[in-house]
Amino acid sequence: MTSPVSGSDGAAGAGGGSRAFERLAEPVRRWIWRKGWTELRDIQERAIAVLMDGEADAILSAATAGGKTEAAFLPLLSSVIDRPGAGGFDLVYVGPLRALINDQFARLEDLCAETGLKVHPWHGDIAAGVKAKARRNPSGVLLITPESLEALFVLRGREVPTLFASTRAIVVDELHALLDSPRGVHMRSLLTRVEIAVGRRIRRIGLSATLGDMGLARAYLRPEHPESVELIQSRAEGQELRVQLRGYRAGGPNRPVVEPEEARDRGEGTPAPADLAARRAIGEHLFSKLRGSRNLVFAGSRQNVELYADLLRQLCEDRALPNEFFPHHASLSRDHRSFVEERLKAGRLPTTAICTSTLELGIDIGDIACVGQIGAPWSVASLRQRLGRSGRRAGQPAVLRMYATEAALDSGSHVADRLRLGLARAIAMIELLVEGWCEPPRAEALHLSTLTHQVLSVVAERGGASARRLYATLCDRGPFRRVDPPLFLRLLRRLGDPEVALLEQAPDGTLLLGREGERLVEHYSFYAVFHTLEEYRVVAQGKPLGTLPVSDVLVAGMTIVFSGRRWRIVTIHDRDKVIDVEPDKGGRPPPFGGDGGLVHDEVVRRMREVLAGSDQPIYLDAHAADLLGEARREFFRLGLRDRSIVDVGSGVMLLATWSGTTGNGALALALLQQGFRVANFQGLVEVSSQGETGADLRGALSEIAGGQGLLLSGEDGTLISEKFHHYLDNELLLADAVSSRLDTSELPAMVAELLGE
DNA sequence: GACCTGCTGCGGGCTG
């Protein structure tokens, strides 16, 4: 048979194409031929060269649907066909989504039909009988989620060495989405535990989108030898990017008539008419530009998804057109979500999904004409991932339409509104995106919640384990490398405390599951390491206001925005999950309050540059340009070009740190400890003295600059944000928070700079 | 001013 990739038309591209193809096993080549592929992609060519030789770990990095899966499996399957294994799964694929596993199953089954190898999908939706069959007769390719692999360790720990006895590679999909998250650390711990169970190293292949710092990704894949991880990045040409950023003034020049029905329905928690006007204008623009093609619009929250989907559907109906705009988020039924996904994938009908991050990752949904983004997202990495869904066909530009809404101003407007921080962030992110920057993976945290989970899991797997063995498995060889022996011992003592009862110790020192530990491990909810958000009830003077998910550090004294109003937290009752608040005086509720995602230092630093600068970005429409002009005049008026501490009147001071969320949050907490009232914005901390005796702000800042800033006791707030945190004591919780969510290390230097020292 | 992800074993009732 003639190789389809070595034809005389030169389709094989630059050098070696046919050589790579010829190296693949015969059934694999036949499959490629049958598929009618005219060439292998660049990343596939190079992956074949690397993966057919040697045993090196590798990261294959390319945009979504860049052919990464085939790049990994064509050579890996070839090597299994050439040298069959002696029993057990030959190859393992770990994927973070069930939908992804179903998708890969269909593709690999087709490929493996030619080869005689079996493919076993394994996740929560797969029938128990199918899994039992795979367990009794393991071979070929296993496709599994991290949670199902965890369940395998807990329930069938003794079968693990047999099941993976001849596994020659583990492929980890969507590596960029896991990294230093609890789930990523969990997955890495499982990889090590498989290796320990079979008593040898197993090759690791990571599939990833392009990251800001691929070096860190290598360290995540193989912490003990990052330098040995081969990096295979797609050389595909950077595609053309077309961007427009449109500005909207809530209640400004675009103000339409408020519809009577919407006005009637307006109550607590729904937007004010001014926001409604801007939303309607954005909706009409989306309608005019997106109708008739395939698009994704990221709306930022489930509520916004519903609002915009409803608006766009209405616009279709008004014009007697069939609807082509559909909402997509996690609270919608699976049926509805698959309907939208299938319709996008099939591509026969024009379709726009208005979505949350549900459609950021996952299965291939085909060629997208345009990506809409309402408001700036939290990270440039996420923006890049979303944009990766657009314009993938050769020669097609990627199109990004961003929409920023800013408040209408009056004499009482808050300085955060006047500085147009949302617009500034959108501009900062677009510029960083164009420059090719994106957030590096965050420095490794302690992950004490996930470590607690893995301690219980290893004890369950082996029916008991010594402290030494646990440390060797999880911290020496596993991913919890920042945990030193004294800290690990402190954690074990806490877990073994009779009141906690996760562990108990046999007379010979072996650690066994305690009463509570058994209860946890026996329930299926144990297998997932990530937290499903708990809601705290918010109560104002005995009257319930609603519920609030607590996902970040909340502390008594902080100002939050809730139910459209501004409150100060009086006390937090962790056990009863109640937050007592009282109304907070002064100003209007700021648009940026409370908690949210982590915005990186570099993004906030760039926001300052945008506000301090004078260039007019060409991708702004007239309204956005106007808004930017206003923001720059305000920046200048406040003297923020030269000053970092500004008196804005009424005893309120503005500290311009221009630091990201973790640094800004640490300063806010430190000042709170010194008796100030604090509100936290992007790059800014607003401070006022409370009580009659006005505390000395500069004096307090000098103390913080001297390193005496944080005396966190944990008594006055909640540091509980992850699934197993509530078993830990304050000391452990603080260590964990400081390692991940509160950047205290930079605090003295940051404050010294504020003071101009 | 977020968003997202995952899950076993067993018994009872029903169908073919």
Side-chain angles (χ1 to χ4, degrees), chain A residues 76 146 162 191 270 281 293 406 588 644 657 717:
Chain A
L76 291 174
T162 325
L191 292 184
T270 57
S293 54
E406 291 290 344
R588 292 158 39 167
S644 311
T657 66

Side-chain angles (χ1 to χ4, degrees), chain A residues 75-279:
Chain A
L76 291 174
L77 286 170
S78 292
S79 81
V80 173
I81 293 163
D82 291 346
R83 293 173 288 122
F89 300 112
D90 298 298
L91 299 169
V92 176
Y93 164 99
V94 184
L97 305 176
R98 289 176 297 200
L100 217 46
I101 287 179
N102 295 342
D103 218 44
Q104 304 291 19
F105 174 63
R107 290 158 78 178
L108 285 173
E109 217 192 15
D110 183 51
L111 172 52
C112 288
E114 299 271 355
T115 68
L117 288 170
K118 287 211 172 77
V119 185
H120 309 276
W122 188 310
H123 58 67
D125 294 341
I126 301 295
V130 174
K131 292 186 242 185
K133 223 163 120 186
R135 245 178 59 225
R136 278 197 300 271
N137 196 4
S139 73
V141 187
L142 172 69
L143 310 174
I144 195 166
T145 60
E147 287 72 22
S148 285
L149 188 53
E150 169 70 40
L152 213 47
F153 271 105
V154 168
L155 299 169
R156 327 247 167 224
R158 290 205 294 206
E159 293 175 32
V160 169
T162 325
L163 292 174
F164 300 98
S166 54
T167 301
R168 62 190 81 188
I170 300 185
V171 177
V172 181
D173 203 358
E174 308 278 13
L175 188 70
H176 58 278
L178 298 169
L179 292 184
D180 201 48
S181 67
R183 204 166 175 217
V185 172
H186 182 203
M187 193 269 308
R188 291 160 62 207
S189 182
L190 293 168
L191 292 184
T192 314
R193 290 171 61 192
V194 172
E195 292 187 348
I196 290 173
V198 300
R200 65 185 168 85
R201 169 186 168 279
I202 298 175
R203 178 180 228 184
R204 298 177 186 177
I205 313 290
L207 310 183
S208 172
T210 312
L211 293 164
D213 184 343
M214 295 306 297
L216 280 163
R218 295 158 97 193
Y220 281 113
L221 190 67
R222 182 68 74 179
E224 64 272 34
H225 297 296
E227 70 291 343
S228 71
V229 177
E230 298 267 2
L231 204 52
I232 306 171
Q233 280 180 279
S234 169
R235 283 199 201 110
E237 298 268 316
Q239 72 189 139
E240 184 197 344
L241 171 64
R242 290 195 196 153
V243 189
Q244 188 184 38
L245 172 54
R246 298 177 67 84
Y248 291 81
R249 199 184 305 266
N254 300 310
R255 183 200 300 266
V257 181
V258 176
E259 289 178 14
E261 190 189 3
E262 282 174 298
R264 201 185 330 116
D265 292 344
R266 200 187 323 133
E268 278 210 344
T270 57
D275 295 332
L276 210 148
R279 195 172 76 226

